[in-house]
Coordinates of all heavy atoms in Angstrom, one line a residue:
S1221 N 78.7 79.3 110.5 CA 80.1 78.8 110.5 C 81.0 79.5 109.5 O 80.5 80.0 108.5 CB 80.0 77.4 110.2 OG 81.3 76.8 110.1
Y1222 N 82.3 79.6 109.8 CA 83.2 80.1 108.9 C 84.4 79.1 108.8 O 85.5 79.4 108.3 CB 83.8 81.5 109.2 CG 84.3 81.6 110.6 CD1 85.8 81.5 110.8 CD2 83.6 81.9 111.7 CE1 86.3 81.7 112.1 CE2 84.0 82.1 113.0 CZ 85.4 81.9 113.1 OH 86.0 82.1 114.4
V1223 N 84.1 77.8 109.0 CA 85.1 76.7 108.8 C 85.0 76.3 107.4 O 84.1 75.8 106.9 CB 84.7 75.6 109.8 CG1 85.7 74.4 109.6 CG2 84.8 76.0 111.3
V1224 N 86.2 76.3 106.8 CA 86.4 75.7 105.4 C 86.3 74.3 105.5 O 87.2 73.6 106.1 CB 87.6 76.2 104.8 CG1 87.7 75.7 103.3 CG2 87.7 77.8 104.7
K1225 N 85.4 73.6 104.8 CA 85.2 72.1 104.9 C 86.2 71.4 103.9 O 86.5 72.1 102.8 CB 83.7 71.8 104.6 CG 82.8 72.4 105.6 CD 81.4 71.9 105.5 CE 80.7 72.6 104.3 NZ 79.4 72.2 104.1
D1226 N 86.5 70.3 104.2 CA 87.4 69.5 103.4 C 86.8 69.3 101.9 O 87.7 69.2 101.0 CB 87.6 68.0 104.0 CG 88.8 68.0 104.8 OD1 89.6 69.0 104.9 OD2 89.0 67.0 105.7
E1227 N 85.6 69.3 101.8 CA 85.1 69.0 100.4 C 85.4 70.1 99.5 O 85.2 70.0 98.3 CB 83.6 68.8 100.5 CG 82.8 69.9 101.0 CD 81.3 69.6 101.3 OE1 81.0 69.2 102.4 OE2 80.4 69.7 100.4
Y1228 N 85.8 71.3 100.0 CA 86.2 72.4 99.1 C 87.7 72.6 99.0 O 88.2 73.6 98.4 CB 85.5 73.7 99.6 CG 84.0 73.6 99.5 CD1 83.3 73.4 100.7 CD2 83.4 73.6 98.2 CE1 81.9 73.3 100.5 CE2 82.0 73.4 98.1 CZ 81.3 73.2 99.2 OH 79.9 73.0 99.2
R1229 N 88.5 71.6 99.6 CA 89.9 71.7 99.4 C 90.4 71.8 97.9 O 91.3 72.5 97.7 CB 90.5 70.4 100.1 CG 92.0 70.4 100.1 CD 92.6 69.2 100.8 NE 92.3 69.3 102.1 CZ 92.7 68.4 103.0 NH1 93.3 67.3 102.6 NH2 92.5 68.6 104.3
S1230 N 89.8 71.0 97.1 CA 90.2 71.0 95.7 C 90.0 72.5 95.0 O 90.8 72.9 94.2 CB 89.4 70.0 94.8 OG 88.0 70.2 94.9
V1231 N 88.9 73.1 95.5 CA 88.6 74.5 94.9 C 89.8 75.4 95.4 O 90.4 76.2 94.5 CB 87.3 75.0 95.4 CG1 87.1 76.4 95.1 CG2 86.2 74.1 94.8
I1232 N 90.1 75.3 96.6 CA 91.2 76.2 97.2 C 92.5 75.8 96.7 O 93.2 76.7 96.3 CB 91.1 76.3 98.7 CG1 89.8 76.8 99.2 CG2 92.3 76.9 99.4 CD1 89.5 76.9 100.6
E1233 N 92.8 74.5 96.6 CA 94.1 74.1 96.0 C 94.3 74.5 94.6 O 95.3 75.0 94.1 CB 94.2 72.6 96.1 CG 94.4 72.1 97.5 CD 94.5 70.6 97.6 OE1 94.1 69.9 96.7 OE2 94.9 70.1 98.7
A1234 N 93.3 74.5 93.8 CA 93.3 74.9 92.4 C 93.5 76.4 92.3 O 94.3 76.9 91.5 CB 92.0 74.5 91.7
Q1235 N 92.8 77.2 93.1 CA 93.0 78.6 93.1 C 94.4 78.9 93.6 O 95.0 79.8 93.0 CB 91.9 79.3 94.0 CG 90.5 79.2 93.4 CD 90.3 80.1 92.2 OE1 91.1 81.1 92.0 NE2 89.5 79.7 91.3
A1236 N 94.9 78.3 94.6 CA 96.1 78.6 95.2 C 97.3 78.2 94.1 O 98.2 79.0 94.0 CB 96.4 77.8 96.5
K1237 N 97.0 77.2 93.4 CA 98.1 76.7 92.4 C 98.1 77.8 91.3 O 99.2 78.2 90.9 CB 97.6 75.4 91.8 CG 98.7 74.8 90.8 CD 98.2 73.5 90.4 CE 99.2 72.8 89.4 NZ 98.8 71.5 89.0
T1238 N 97.0 78.3 90.9 CA 96.9 79.4 89.9 C 97.7 80.6 90.4 O 98.4 81.3 89.6 CB 95.5 79.7 89.6 OG1 94.9 78.6 89.0 CG2 95.3 80.8 88.4
L1239 N 97.5 81.0 91.6 CA 98.1 82.2 92.2 C 99.5 82.0 92.3 O 100.3 83.0 92.2 CB 97.4 82.5 93.5 CG 95.9 83.1 93.5 CD1 95.4 83.2 94.8 CD2 95.9 84.4 92.8
T1240 N 100.0 80.8 92.8 CA 101.4 80.7 93.0 C 102.2 80.6 91.7 O 103.3 81.0 91.5 CB 101.7 79.4 93.8 OG1 101.2 78.3 93.2 CG2 101.2 79.6 95.2
A1241 N 101.4 80.1 90.6 CA 102.1 80.0 89.3 C 102.2 81.5 88.6 O 103.1 81.7 87.8 CB 101.3 79.1 88.4
N1242 N 101.3 82.4 89.0 CA 101.2 83.6 88.4 C 101.1 84.7 89.5 O 100.1 85.1 89.9 CB 100.0 83.8 87.5 CG 99.9 85.1 86.8 OD1 100.8 86.0 86.9 ND2 98.9 85.3 85.9
K1243 N 102.3 85.3 90.0 CA 102.4 86.1 91.1 C 101.7 87.4 90.7 O 101.4 88.2 91.7 CB 103.8 86.3 91.5 CG 104.5 85.0 92.1 CD 103.8 84.7 93.3 CE 104.6 83.5 93.9 NZ 103.8 83.0 95.1
A1244 N 101.4 87.8 89.5 CA 100.7 89.1 89.2 C 99.3 89.0 89.3 O 98.5 89.9 89.4 CB 101.1 89.5 87.7
K1245 N 98.7 87.7 89.3 CA 97.3 87.5 89.5 C 96.8 87.8 90.9 O 97.6 87.5 92.0 CB 96.9 86.1 89.2 CG 95.5 85.7 89.2 CD 95.1 84.3 88.6 CE 93.7 84.1 88.7 NZ 92.8 84.9 87.9
K1246 N 95.6 88.5 91.0 CA 95.1 88.8 92.3 C 93.6 88.4 92.4 O 92.9 88.4 91.4 CB 95.2 90.4 92.5 CG 96.6 90.9 92.6 CD 96.7 92.3 92.8 CE 98.1 92.8 92.7 NZ 98.6 93.5 93.9
V1247 N 93.2 88.2 93.6 CA 91.8 87.6 93.8 C 91.2 88.3 95.0 O 91.9 88.5 96.0 CB 91.9 86.1 94.0 CG1 90.5 85.5 94.5 CG2 92.4 85.3 92.8
T1248 N 90.0 88.6 94.9 CA 89.2 89.1 95.9 C 88.3 88.0 96.5 O 87.6 87.3 95.6 CB 88.3 90.3 95.6 OG1 89.1 91.4 95.1 CG2 87.5 90.8 96.8
V1249 N 88.3 87.7 97.7 CA 87.5 86.7 98.3 C 86.3 87.4 98.9 O 86.5 88.1 99.9 CB 88.2 85.7 99.3 CG1 87.2 84.7 99.8 CG2 89.5 85.2 98.7
E1250 N 85.1 87.2 98.4 CA 83.9 87.8 98.9 C 83.1 87.0 99.8 O 82.6 85.9 99.3 CB 83.0 88.3 97.7 CG 83.7 89.2 96.7 CD 82.9 89.6 95.5 OE1 81.8 88.9 95.2 OE2 83.2 90.5 94.7
G1251 N 82.9 87.4 101.0 CA 82.2 86.6 102.0 C 80.7 87.0 102.0 O 80.4 88.2 102.0
H1252 N 79.8 86.0 102.0 CA 78.3 86.2 101.9 C 77.7 85.3 103.0 O 78.3 84.3 103.5 CB 77.9 85.8 100.5 CG 78.4 86.5 99.5 ND1 77.9 87.7 99.1 CD2 79.4 86.3 98.7 CE1 78.6 88.2 98.1 NE2 79.5 87.4 97.7
T1253 N 76.4 85.8 103.4 CA 75.6 84.9 104.4 C 74.3 84.9 103.9 O 73.9 85.5 102.9 CB 75.6 85.7 105.7 OG1 74.9 87.0 105.6 CG2 77.0 85.9 106.3
D1254 N 73.5 84.0 104.6 CA 72.0 84.0 104.1 C 71.3 85.2 104.8 O 72.0 85.9 105.5 CB 71.4 82.6 104.6 CG 71.5 82.3 106.0 OD1 71.5 83.1 106.8 OD2 71.7 81.0 106.3
E1255 N 70.1 85.3 104.7 CA 69.3 86.5 105.1 C 69.0 86.5 106.6 O 68.6 87.5 107.2 CB 68.0 86.5 104.4 CG 67.0 85.5 104.7 CD 65.7 85.5 103.8 OE1 65.8 86.1 102.7 OE2 64.7 85.1 104.3
R1256 N 69.4 85.3 107.3 CA 69.0 85.3 108.7 C 70.0 86.1 109.5 O 71.2 86.0 109.1 CB 68.9 83.9 109.2 CG 67.8 83.1 108.5 CD 67.8 81.6 108.9 NE 68.9 81.1 108.1 CZ 69.1 79.7 108.2 NH1 68.3 78.9 108.9 NH2 70.2 79.2 107.5
G1257 N 69.6 86.8 110.6 CA 70.5 87.6 111.4 C 70.5 89.0 111.0 O 70.1 89.4 109.9
G1258 N 71.1 89.8 111.9 CA 71.2 91.3 111.6 C 72.4 91.6 110.6 O 73.2 90.8 110.3
S1259 N 72.3 92.8 110.0 CA 73.2 93.2 109.1 C 74.7 93.2 109.6 O 75.6 92.8 109.0 CB 72.9 94.6 108.5 OG 71.7 94.5 107.8
E1260 N 74.8 93.8 110.8 CA 76.1 93.9 111.4 C 76.7 92.5 111.6 O 77.9 92.2 111.3 CB 76.0 94.7 112.7 CG 77.4 95.0 113.2 CD 77.3 95.9 114.5 OE1 76.9 97.1 114.4 OE2 77.5 95.4 115.6
Y1261 N 75.9 91.6 112.1 CA 76.4 90.2 112.5 C 76.7 89.5 111.2 O 77.8 88.9 111.1 CB 75.3 89.4 113.2 CG 75.7 87.9 113.4 CD1 76.5 87.6 114.5 CD2 75.2 87.0 112.5 CE1 76.9 86.4 114.6 CE2 75.7 85.7 112.6 CZ 76.5 85.3 113.7 OH 77.0 84.1 113.8
N1262 N 76.0 89.7 110.1 CA 76.2 89.0 108.9 C 77.4 89.6 108.2 O 78.2 88.8 107.6 CB 75.0 89.0 108.0 CG 73.9 88.0 108.4 OD1 74.3 87.0 108.9 ND2 72.6 88.3 108.3
L1263 N 77.6 90.8 108.3 CA 78.8 91.4 107.7 C 80.1 90.9 108.4 O 81.1 90.5 107.7 CB 78.9 92.9 107.9 CG 78.1 93.7 106.9 CD1 77.9 95.2 107.2 CD2 78.7 93.6 105.4
A1264 N 80.0 90.7 109.7 CA 81.2 90.1 110.4 C 81.3 88.7 110.1 O 82.5 88.2 109.8 CB 81.0 90.2 112.0
L1265 N 80.3 87.9 110.0 CA 80.4 86.5 109.6 C 80.9 86.3 108.2 O 81.8 85.5 107.9 CB 79.1 85.8 109.7 CG 79.0 84.4 109.4 CD1 80.0 83.5 110.2 CD2 77.6 83.8 109.6
G1266 N 80.4 87.2 107.2 CA 80.9 87.2 105.9 C 82.5 87.4 105.8 O 83.2 86.8 105.0
Q1267 N 82.9 88.4 106.7 CA 84.3 88.7 106.6 C 85.2 87.5 107.2 O 86.2 87.2 106.6 CB 84.6 89.9 107.6 CG 85.9 90.5 107.5 CD 86.4 91.0 106.2 OE1 85.5 91.5 105.4 NE2 87.6 91.1 105.9
K1268 N 84.6 86.8 108.2 CA 85.3 85.7 108.8 C 85.4 84.7 107.7 O 86.4 83.9 107.6 CB 84.7 85.2 110.0 CG 84.9 86.2 111.2 CD 84.2 85.7 112.5 CE 84.4 86.5 113.6 NZ 83.7 85.9 114.8
R1269 N 84.3 84.4 107.0 CA 84.4 83.4 105.9 C 85.3 83.7 104.8 O 86.2 82.9 104.4 CB 82.9 83.3 105.3 CG 82.0 82.6 106.2 CD 80.6 82.5 105.6 NE 79.7 81.7 106.5 CZ 78.5 81.7 106.5 NH1 77.8 82.4 105.6 NH2 77.8 80.9 107.4
A1270 N 85.4 84.9 104.4 CA 86.4 85.4 103.4 C 87.8 85.3 103.9 O 88.7 84.8 103.2 CB 86.1 86.8 103.0
Q1271 N 88.0 85.6 105.2 CA 89.4 85.5 105.8 C 89.8 84.1 105.9 O 91.0 83.8 105.9 CB 89.4 86.3 107.1 CG 89.4 87.7 106.9 CD 89.2 88.5 108.2 OE1 88.6 88.0 109.2 NE2 89.6 89.7 108.1
A1272 N 88.9 83.2 106.2 CA 89.2 81.8 106.3 C 89.7 81.2 105.0 O 90.7 80.4 105.0 CB 88.0 80.9 106.8
V1273 N 89.0 81.6 103.9 CA 89.5 81.2 102.6 C 90.8 81.8 102.3 O 91.8 81.2 101.7 CB 88.4 81.5 101.5 CG1 88.9 81.3 100.1 CG2 87.2 80.7 101.7
V1274 N 91.1 83.1 102.6 CA 92.3 83.7 102.4 C 93.5 83.1 103.1 O 94.5 82.7 102.6 CB 92.2 85.2 102.7 CG1 93.7 85.9 102.9 CG2 91.4 86.0 101.7
K1275 N 93.1 82.7 104.4 CA 94.2 82.0 105.1 C 94.5 80.6 104.4 O 95.7 80.3 104.5 CB 93.6 81.7 106.5 CG 94.5 81.1 107.4 CD 94.1 80.8 108.9 CE 95.1 80.1 109.8 NZ 94.7 79.9 111.1
S1276 N 93.5 79.9 104.0 CA 93.8 78.7 103.4 C 94.7 78.9 102.1 O 95.6 78.1 101.8 CB 92.5 78.0 102.9 OG 91.6 77.7 104.1
L1277 N 94.3 79.9 101.3 CA 95.2 80.1 100.1 C 96.5 80.5 100.4 O 97.5 80.1 99.7 CB 94.4 81.3 99.3 CG 93.1 80.9 98.7 CD1 92.4 82.3 98.1 CD2 93.3 80.0 97.5
T1278 N 96.8 81.3 101.5 CA 98.1 81.7 101.8 C 98.9 80.5 102.4 O 100.1 80.5 102.2 CB 98.1 83.0 102.8 OG1 97.3 82.6 104.0 CG2 97.5 84.2 102.1
L1279 N 98.2 79.6 103.1 CA 98.9 78.4 103.6 C 99.4 77.6 102.5 O 100.4 76.8 102.7 CB 98.0 77.6 104.6 CG 97.7 78.2 105.9 CD1 96.7 77.5 106.6 CD2 99.0 78.3 106.8
L1280 N 98.7 77.7 101.3 CA 99.1 76.9 100.1 C 100.0 77.6 99.2 O 100.2 77.1 98.0 CB 97.8 76.4 99.4 CG 96.9 75.4 100.2 CD1 95.7 75.1 99.5 CD2 97.8 74.1 100.5
G1281 N 100.4 78.8 99.6 CA 101.5 79.4 98.7 C 101.1 80.8 98.2 O 102.0 81.5 97.6
A1282 N 99.9 81.2 98.1 CA 99.4 82.4 97.6 C 100.1 83.5 98.6 O 100.2 83.4 99.9 CB 98.0 82.6 97.5
T1283 N 100.4 84.7 98.1 CA 101.0 85.8 98.9 C 99.8 86.6 99.4 O 98.8 86.7 98.7 CB 102.0 86.6 98.2 OG1 101.4 87.2 97.1 CG2 103.1 85.7 97.7
E1284 N 100.1 87.3 100.5 CA 99.0 88.2 101.0 C 98.7 89.3 100.1 O 97.6 89.8 100.2 CB 99.4 88.7 102.5 CG 99.4 87.6 103.5 CD 99.7 88.2 104.9 OE1 99.7 89.4 105.1 OE2 100.0 87.4 105.8
S1285 N 99.6 89.7 99.3 CA 99.3 90.8 98.4 C 98.5 90.4 97.2 O 97.8 91.2 96.5 CB 100.6 91.5 97.9 OG 101.2 90.5 97.1
Q1286 N 98.3 89.1 97.1 CA 97.5 88.6 95.9 C 96.0 88.4 96.3 O 95.2 88.3 95.5 CB 98.0 87.2 95.5 CG 99.3 87.2 94.7 CD 99.8 85.9 94.4 OE1 100.2 85.2 95.1 NE2 99.6 85.6 93.1
V1287 N 95.7 88.4 97.6 CA 94.4 88.0 98.0 C 93.8 89.2 99.0 O 94.6 89.7 99.8 CB 94.3 86.6 98.7 CG1 94.6 85.6 97.8 CG2 95.3 86.6 99.8
E1288 N 92.5 89.4 98.8 CA 91.9 90.4 99.7 C 90.5 89.8 100.1 O 89.8 89.3 99.3 CB 91.7 91.7 98.9 CG 91.0 92.7 99.7 CD 90.7 94.0 98.9 OE1 90.8 93.9 97.7 OE2 90.3 95.0 99.5
A1289 N 90.2 90.0 101.3 CA 89.0 89.5 101.9 C 88.0 90.7 102.1 O 88.3 91.7 102.7 CB 89.2 88.8 103.3
V1290 N 86.7 90.5 101.5 CA 85.8 91.6 101.7 C 84.4 90.9 102.1 O 84.3 89.7 101.8 CB 85.5 92.4 100.5 CG1 86.7 93.2 100.2 CG2 85.1 91.6 99.3
S1291 N 83.6 91.6 102.7 CA 82.3 90.9 103.1 C 81.1 91.7 102.5 O 81.1 93.0 102.6 CB 82.2 90.9 104.6 OG 80.8 90.4 105.1
F1292 N 80.1 91.0 102.1 CA 78.9 91.6 101.6 C 77.7 91.3 102.6 O 76.6 91.7 102.4 CB 78.5 91.3 100.2 CG 79.5 91.9 99.2 CD1 80.6 91.2 98.6 CD2 79.5 93.3 99.0 CE1 81.4 91.8 97.8 CE2 80.3 93.9 98.0 CZ 81.4 93.1 97.4
G1293 N 78.0 90.3 103.5 CA 77.0 89.9 104.5 C 75.8 89.3 103.7 O 76.0 88.5 102.8
K1294 N 74.6 89.8 104.0 CA 73.4 89.3 103.3 C 73.0 90.1 102.2 O 71.9 89.9 101.6 CB 72.3 89.0 104.4 CG 71.8 90.3 105.0 CD 70.8 90.0 106.1 CE 70.4 91.3 106.8 NZ 69.3 91.0 107.8
E1295 N 73.7 91.2 101.8 CA 73.3 92.1 100.8 C 73.3 91.6 99.4 O 72.7 92.2 98.5 CB 74.1 93.3 101.0 CG 74.1 93.9 102.3 CD 72.8 94.3 102.8 OE1 71.9 94.8 102.0 OE2 72.5 94.1 103.9
R1296 N 74.0 90.6 99.0 CA 74.1 90.1 97.7 C 73.8 88.6 97.6 O 74.7 87.8 97.4 CB 75.5 90.4 97.0 CG 75.8 91.9 96.8 CD 77.1 92.0 96.1 NE 77.4 93.3 95.9 CZ 78.5 93.8 95.3 NH1 79.4 92.9 94.9 NH2 78.7 95.1 95.2
P1297 N 72.6 88.2 97.8 CA 72.3 86.8 97.7 C 72.5 86.2 96.3 O 72.1 86.9 95.4 CB 70.8 86.7 98.2 CG 70.2 88.0 97.8 CD 71.4 89.0 98.0
A1298 N 72.9 85.0 96.3 CA 73.0 84.3 95.0 C 71.7 83.9 94.5 O 71.5 83.8 93.3 CB 74.1 83.1 95.2
V1299 N 70.9 83.4 95.5 CA 69.6 82.9 95.2 C 68.5 83.6 96.1 O 68.8 83.7 97.3 CB 69.5 81.3 95.5 CG1 68.2 80.7 95.2 CG2 70.6 80.6 94.6
Q1300 N 67.4 84.0 95.5 CA 66.2 84.4 96.3 C 65.5 83.4 97.0 O 65.3 82.4 96.3 CB 65.4 85.3 95.4 CG 66.1 86.6 94.9 CD 66.5 87.5 96.0 OE1 65.8 87.7 97.0 NE2 67.7 88.2 95.7
G1301 N 65.0 83.5 98.1 CA 64.2 82.5 98.8 C 64.5 82.5 100.3 O 65.6 82.9 100.7
S1302 N 63.5 81.8 100.9 CA 63.7 81.7 102.4 C 63.5 80.3 102.9 O 62.8 79.9 103.8 CB 62.6 82.6 103.1 OG 62.8 83.9 102.8
D1303 N 64.1 79.4 102.1 CA 64.2 78.0 102.5 C 65.5 77.4 102.5 O 66.5 78.3 102.3 CB 63.4 77.2 101.5 CG 63.9 77.2 100.1 OD1 64.9 78.0 99.8 OD2 63.4 76.4 99.2
E1304 N 65.7 76.3 103.1 CA 67.2 75.8 103.3 C 67.9 75.7 102.1 O 69.1 76.0 102.1 CB 67.1 74.5 104.2 CG 68.5 74.0 104.6 CD 69.3 75.0 105.4 OE1 68.7 75.6 106.2 OE2 70.6 75.1 105.1
A1305 N 67.4 75.4 101.0 CA 68.1 75.3 99.7 C 68.7 76.6 99.3 O 69.8 76.8 98.9 CB 67.3 74.7 98.7
A1306 N 67.9 77.8 99.5 CA 68.4 79.1 99.1 C 69.3 79.5 100.2 O 70.4 80.1 99.8 CB 67.2 80.0 99.1
Y1307 N 69.2 79.3 101.4 CA 70.2 79.6 102.5 C 71.5 79.0 102.2 O 72.5 79.6 102.3 CB 69.7 79.3 103.9 CG 68.4 79.9 104.4 CD1 67.6 79.3 105.3 CD2 68.0 81.2 104.0 CE1 66.5 80.0 105.8 CE2 67.0 81.8 104.5 CZ 66.1 81.2 105.3 OH 65.1 81.9 105.9
A1308 N 71.5 77.7 101.9 CA 72.7 77.0 101.6 C 73.6 77.6 100.5 O 74.7 77.6 100.5 CB 72.4 75.5 101.4
K1309 N 72.9 78.0 99.4 CA 73.6 78.5 98.3 C 74.1 80.0 98.5 O 74.9 80.5 97.9 CB 72.7 78.6 97.1 CG 72.5 77.1 96.6 CD 71.6 77.1 95.3 CE 71.6 75.7 94.8 NZ 70.7 75.6 93.6
N1310 N 73.4 80.6 99.6 CA 73.9 82.0 99.9 C 74.9 82.1 100.9 O 75.6 83.0 101.1 CB 72.7 82.8 100.5 CG 71.7 83.1 99.2 OD1 72.1 83.2 98.1 ND2 70.4 83.3 99.6
R1311 N 75.2 81.0 101.7 CA 76.3 80.9 102.7 C 77.6 80.5 101.9 O 77.9 79.3 101.8 CB 76.0 79.9 103.8 CG 74.7 80.2 104.6 CD 74.6 79.4 105.8 NE 74.6 77.9 105.4 CZ 73.4 77.2 105.3 NH1 72.3 77.8 105.6 NH2 73.5 75.9 105.0
R1312 N 78.3 81.5 101.5 CA 79.4 81.3 100.6 C 80.5 82.2 100.6 O 80.3 83.4 101.1 CB 78.9 81.1 99.1 CG 78.4 82.4 98.6 CD 77.6 82.4 97.4 NE 77.4 83.7 96.8 CZ 76.6 84.6 97.2 NH1 76.0 84.5 98.3 NH2 76.5 85.8 96.5
A1313 N 81.7 81.9 100.0 CA 82.8 82.8 99.8 C 83.1 82.6 98.3 O 83.3 81.5 97.8 CB 83.9 82.5 100.6
E1314 N 83.0 83.7 97.5 CA 83.3 83.6 96.1 C 84.7 84.2 95.8 O 85.0 85.3 96.4 CB 82.3 84.5 95.3 CG 80.9 83.9 95.3 CD 80.0 84.6 94.4 OE1 80.4 85.0 93.2 OE2 78.8 84.8 94.7
L1315 N 85.5 83.6 95.0 CA 86.8 84.0 94.5 C 86.7 84.7 93.3 O 86.3 84.1 92.2 CB 87.8 82.8 94.5 CG 88.2 82.2 95.9 CD1 87.2 81.1 96.1 CD2 89.6 81.9 95.8
V1316 N 87.0 86.0 93.2 CA 86.7 86.9 92.0 C 88.1 87.5 91.6 O 88.8 88.1 92.4 CB 85.7 88.0 92.3 CG1 85.5 88.8 91.1 CG2 84.4 87.4 92.8

Side-chain angles (χ1 to χ4, degrees):
S1221 173
Y1222 57 94
V1223 175
V1224 177
K1225 299 188 285 186
D1226 268 349
E1227 64 192 89
Y1228 298 105
R1229 180 180 290 178
S1230 62
V1231 171
I1232 292 175
E1233 286 175 347
Q1235 291 289 332
K1237 187 175 180 180
T1238 301
L1239 291 169
T1240 56
N1242 183 359
K1243 294 295 183 184
K1245 184 170 178 62
K1246 296 182 185 234
V1247 172
T1248 300
V1249 181
E1250 300 176 348
H1252 300 273
T1253 65
D1254 59 37
E1255 66 185 28
R1256 298 173 286 185
S1259 293
E1260 189 175 287
Y1261 176 80
N1262 282 326
L1263 281 171
L1265 180 58
Q1267 187 69 25
K1268 287 179 179 182
R1269 287 175 175 169
Q1271 289 170 336
V1273 172
V1274 165
K1275 181 177 180 183
S1276 297
L1277 290 169
T1278 57
L1279 287 172
L1280 293 171
T1283 63
E1284 289 184 15
S1285 64
Q1286 289 180 286
V1287 291
E1288 178 184 16
V1290 297
S1291 176
F1292 291 106
K1294 61 183 177 180
E1295 302 304 318
R1296 293 188 181 178
V1299 177
Q1300 295 296 324
S1302 296
D1303 59 353
E1304 185 53 40
Y1307 293 154
K1309 289 183 181 177
N1310 290 330
R1311 295 187 304 257
R1312 69 197 189 284
E1314 291 189 40
L1315 291 97
V1316 180

